Amino acid sequence: MRAILVGFMGSGKTTVGHLLAAKIGVPYHDLDDIVVANAGKSIKQIFAEEGEAAFRQLEHQALEAAMDDDGILGTGGGTPIQPNNFEMLKQSDVPVVLLDVLPATIFNRLKDDTDRPLAKQLGLDGLVDLKGQRDRKYEQVSDFRVATDNLSPLEVVEAIRTHLFIQL
Ligand code: S3P
C-alpha cells in the first residue's frame, strides 16, 4: 500500500481514499468492502448473525492479506483499535494517515445511516464516548493527522499529498 487511512466512522476515509487513489493513479481498497466480499454478507448481517468478535477476526484476516497490495487502503473505524491490527500498522513502513473529525460532525453524517451497527446501537452520547476511548490509539498508530471538519474531500486529499509528496 502507498498509504493507509484510519479514523472514526464518518471521518471520510472512503470518500477521501477514492479521490486520493484516483489522483495518484492507483487502486482504492476498502477494508469493509473486502470483509463483505469475503463473507458474502453485509457488515450488519455479520454483526447480527455472528457477533462483533467474528467480524473482528474477518477484518484482521482482510487487513493482513491487503497489506502487500498496491494502492490506498481505507480501514474501518475500529480496525486500528484491535491490538493485532495496531501492531501490524505500527510495524509496517506504509504511512498511516488519521482523518480526524469532531463528534458533532460525525453524528450529522451518521444519523440516518442504517448500515453501521455500532452507530445505531450507541447514539450520539455513545459515539462521543467511543471516540474518546479510541482517540489515543488513532493518534499513536498514525504518522500524521488531518483535521477534516472544515475541509472539502479534495482539500483533505491535497493535505495528505503535501505531507507525503515524496512517496506519492
Ligand atoms: C466500525 C466501523 C465501520 C465498520 C464496522 C465497525 C467501528 O467502518 O468497520 O461497522 O468499530 O468503528 P467505517 O469506519 O467505515 O464506518
Side-chain angles (χ1 to χ4, degrees):
M1 290 293 171
R2 312 282 177 105
I4 298 176
L5 306 181
V6 301
F8 202 72
M9 287 175 269
S11 59
K13 301 178 295 283
T14 305
T15 306
V16 168
H18 273 294
L19 276 174
L20 176 62
K23 192 95 184 172
I24 61 177
V26 296
Y28 174 69
H29 306 268
D30 193 282
L31 201 59
D32 284 341
D33 290 348
I34 299 171
V35 169
V36 167
N38 290 348
K41 48 181 148 177
S42 69
I43 292 178
K44 198 170 147 183
Q45 277 176 308
I46 302 170
F47 267 72
E49 293 168 15
E50 300 173 43
E52 181 172 348
F55 171 76
R56 296 300 173 195
Q57 221 165 0
L58 295 170
E59 182 183 47
H60 177 68
Q61 288 159 4
L63 177 65
E64 197 165 30
M67 288 301 281
D68 292 333
D69 292 343
D70 190 20
I72 302 296
L73 179 68
T75 58
T79 310
I81 311 304
Q82 313 306 311
N84 49 2
N85 298 337
F86 184 90
E87 285 310 315
M88 201 187 290
L89 293 172
K90 278 297 273 185
Q91 278 165 24
S92 92
D93 294 333
V94 182
V96 176
V97 182
L98 168 58
L99 300 188
D100 205 3
V101 66
L102 292 169
T105 309
I106 294 170
F107 188 68
N108 274 329
R109 289 181 188 170
L110 299 186
K111 63 182 181 333
D112 299 322
D113 192 313
T114 53
D115 288 329
R116 286 177 166 106
L118 281 181
K120 213 176 153 59
Q121 278 164 31
L122 295 172
L124 177 57
D125 289 349
L127 282 175
V128 172
D129 275 0
L130 182 64
K131 185 170 185 296
Q133 289 164 31
R134 287 178 170 181
D135 274 346
R136 230 175 95 75
K137 286 268 179 261
Y138 290 139
E139 294 278 351
Q140 287 171 338
V141 83
S142 56
D143 296 298
F144 68 94
R145 165 182 177 275
V146 181
T148 66
D149 296 276
N150 298 314
L151 300 180
S152 69
L154 266 178
E155 288 171 328
V156 176
V157 166
E158 287 317 310
I160 296 171
R161 291 178 75 220
T162 303
H163 266 94
L164 298 178
F165 72 99
I166 296 170
Q167 293 99 317
L168 296 181

